[in-house]
Amino acid sequence: AEYMGENEYSRILRMSNRPIFIGNIPLDASVRELEKVFEKFGPIKRVDLKSGFAFVYLESGAENAVRELDDQIYYDTNRKMRVQLARGDGDVKRSRLSRREDQRKNLAKTKPTETLFVVNFDTTSTRSRDIEKLFEKFGRIVRVDMKRNFAFVEFDTIAAAQAALTEVDGSRFGDRTLTVEYMASRPG
């Protein structure tokens, strides 16, 4: 048997833990539909459904899923799924973002503010009041500002925002897993 170097072993291990990116799926696709498509490849850790795309995290079998599902039709639609191993950890990468913008976003992940950025809720059924109800138990809300596929929730104190982020980030809301971060301030 050929000796596998530590770097090669680490690379294979890292590749096997990468999420699977699924593109070109309908905007009304559901987590359950995706689970049915991927469950035959191994235990599913989680599904992050976005608008028209998703990330599926499998315990094992990601390479087989990619090989078998890429360019296959999604259910009874005429859409061919784009299925590939995600780059990095599943975060969508945008090469046009400047280094300064990346630094601003990294700071937002760690520097608490009164305002939270909330994403990955179901845009067809979630209303501003639903977001407000989800967060109101953590403190007085100054405003909830919903945009197309994200929202800002502003509290009157940083402590309330910290408590909300700790409990709500990564939690289930309907059939979605929410992502909550501190709002990044504009560079200046």
Side-chain angles (χ1 to χ4, degrees):
E2 191 175 306
Y3 173 74
M4 188 185 312
E6 182 61 34
N7 287 343
E8 181 66 8
Y9 177 74
S10 297
R11 187 186 71 77
I12 289 170
L13 192 61
R14 196 172 56 253
M15 296 279 283
S16 68
N17 288 327
R18 283 171 43 195
I20 302 166
F21 169 83
I22 304 93
N24 198 33
I25 58 175
L27 296 176
D28 63 351
S30 73
V31 169
R32 185 65 200 126
E33 287 173 350
L34 287 163
E35 288 172 343
K36 285 180 185 174
V37 169
F38 283 89
E39 64 192 1
K40 70 179 185 176
F41 297 101
I44 297 171
K45 290 192 239 179
R46 81 176 205 247
V47 175
D48 285 348
L49 182 60
K50 308 296 183 186
S51 190
F53 66 99
F55 293 100
V56 173
Y57 296 76
L58 295 177
E59 285 185 22
S60 61
E63 293 82 3
N64 290 337
V66 168
R67 200 170 20 259
E68 213 172 297
L69 296 174
D70 191 36
D71 278 337
Q72 294 301 307
I73 300 292
Y74 185 84
Y75 285 94
D76 57 355
T77 68
N78 286 329
R79 293 171 171 266
K80 283 187 173 184
M81 292 183 292
R82 193 168 132 222
V83 181
Q84 61 193 39
L85 287 176
R87 297 186 299 263
D89 60 3
D91 289 337
V92 177
K93 306 290 186 229
R94 292 182 179 87
S95 59
R96 71 181 185 275
L97 289 178
S98 68
R99 185 173 294 149
R100 188 170 178 187
E101 181 70 5
D102 288 341
Q103 289 169 341
R104 182 181 71 81
K105 286 188 174 188
N106 286 336
L107 183 62
K109 291 179 182 176
T110 57
K111 185 179 180 205
T113 65
E114 292 91 351
T115 305
L116 300 176
F117 173 74
V118 183
V119 70
N120 202 33
F121 49 83
D122 184 344
T123 58
T124 59
S125 64
T126 305
R127 301 289 167 254
S128 183
R129 182 65 190 129
D130 301 323
I131 297 291
E132 193 173 328
K133 278 184 186 174
L134 178 66
F135 285 94
E136 66 189 4
K137 66 181 174 187
F138 300 103
R140 193 172 79 71
I141 295 175
V142 175
R143 72 180 170 100
V144 173
D145 187 11
M146 276 186 71
K147 303 296 183 188
R148 286 182 24 196
N149 60 349
F150 62 91
F152 294 106
V153 178
E154 183 180 351
F155 288 93
D156 64 346
T157 66
I158 289 177
Q162 287 173 310
L165 183 140
T166 300
E167 188 168 321
V168 179
D169 184 41
S171 69
R172 302 291 291 178
F173 188 65
D175 68 347
R176 305 284 183 98
T177 301
L178 291 179
T179 299
V180 181
E181 297 177 354
Y182 296 112
M183 188 180 90
S185 59
R186 299 239 179 259

